Amino acid sequence: MTNFRNPQNNEAMSATGNETEKKRPYNIREKKDKKAAYRSLIRPELADELYDKILNIVVVQKKYKNPDYSAKDLAKELKTNTRYLSAVVNSRFGMNYSCLLNEYRIKDALHILVDKRYADKNVEEISAMVGFANRQSFYAAFYKNVGETPNGYRKRHAEQKKK
């Protein structure tokens, strides 16, 4: 379906002309719930075990900081396949693999943005420090998770500390 932008009210109008949706910044789309049959075939004990291993590798070992760390890399480390890994991530974390990594990257960035030890770092440098491949994906993920831009967040916290 082709979308056309209506400049008067900043809404997208479909080619049919009968449905409109509010434009969201950074091309953020509504989350759609998908029902994948294979997710229900996962043995709960094995899924729990993989969940713990995923947390250990991604969070404890901080693999999320590596912008090149793919689901394929994690699956290989866990000695499983990407489809099974994806099903476990979706069912246990309630999101896909890249959203999972981005969530931890953003949590890290939230601390760094307000830490006075990193006051000399610009947003692009912080973006790279937490594992984003580029500034644009950092801004989009940050806005999606926090609801404001990294610069806006940093400024707001700086103003709150002054008060």
Side-chain angles (χ1 to χ4, degrees):
M1 178 185 298
T2 310
N3 283 336
F4 301 100
R5 200 65 44 216
N6 180 343
Q8 277 81 29
N9 61 9
N10 206 20
E11 290 180 350
M13 195 158 92
S14 70
T16 59
N18 59 359
E19 50 182 89
T20 60
E21 59 184 60
K22 196 83 173 135
K23 177 165 174 6
R24 304 180 79 183
Y26 302 106
N27 272 341
I28 296 172
R29 294 184 193 97
E30 282 293 323
K31 185 180 177 189
K32 293 176 185 163
D33 244 357
K34 293 183 223 164
K35 302 287 182 234
Y38 64 88
R39 288 185 195 153
S40 60
L41 302 174
I42 301 168
R43 283 199 343 263
E45 313 82 49
L46 189 56
D48 289 341
E49 186 183 321
L50 273 175
Y51 172 84
D52 292 337
K53 288 179 179 178
I54 291 166
L55 273 177
N56 179 47
I57 292 169
V58 172
V59 183
V60 178
Q61 296 178 30
K62 296 186 186 287
K63 295 279 179 126
Y64 65 85
K65 288 189 173 196
N66 178 353
D68 300 321
Y69 194 70
S70 67
K72 194 174 182 178
D73 297 327
L74 179 59
K76 197 173 180 180
E77 215 169 315
L78 294 169
K79 295 176 179 63
T80 188
N81 63 50
T82 53
R83 190 173 185 116
Y84 201 85
L85 170 68
S86 174
V88 171
V89 169
N90 276 281
S91 64
R92 291 297 193 259
F93 292 93
M95 60 186 81
N96 66 30
Y97 176 78
S98 57
C99 286
L100 176 68
L101 262 57
N102 287 347
E103 187 174 280
Y104 285 100
R105 289 170 177 160
I106 296 303
K107 285 179 182 180
D108 216 359
L110 288 170
H111 296 293
I112 294 171
L113 284 164
V114 297
D115 191 327
K116 58 184 169 212
R117 293 175 295 180
Y118 300 100
D120 62 322
K121 300 278 185 207
N122 66 35
V123 172
E124 200 159 342
E125 291 169 314
I126 292 170
S127 157
M129 285 170 62
V130 298
F132 281 95
N134 60 59
R135 185 178 160 273
Q136 201 168 0
S137 58
F138 175 59
Y139 266 79
F142 195 94
Y143 194 89
K144 180 182 176 187
N145 282 275
V146 182
E148 64 184 319
T149 66
N151 277 325
Y153 178 82
R154 191 179 229 180
K155 285 175 188 165
R156 188 170 53 79
H157 275 269
E159 287 168 10
Q160 285 176 349
K161 280 188 178 179
K162 286 179 186 175
K163 290 180 183 177

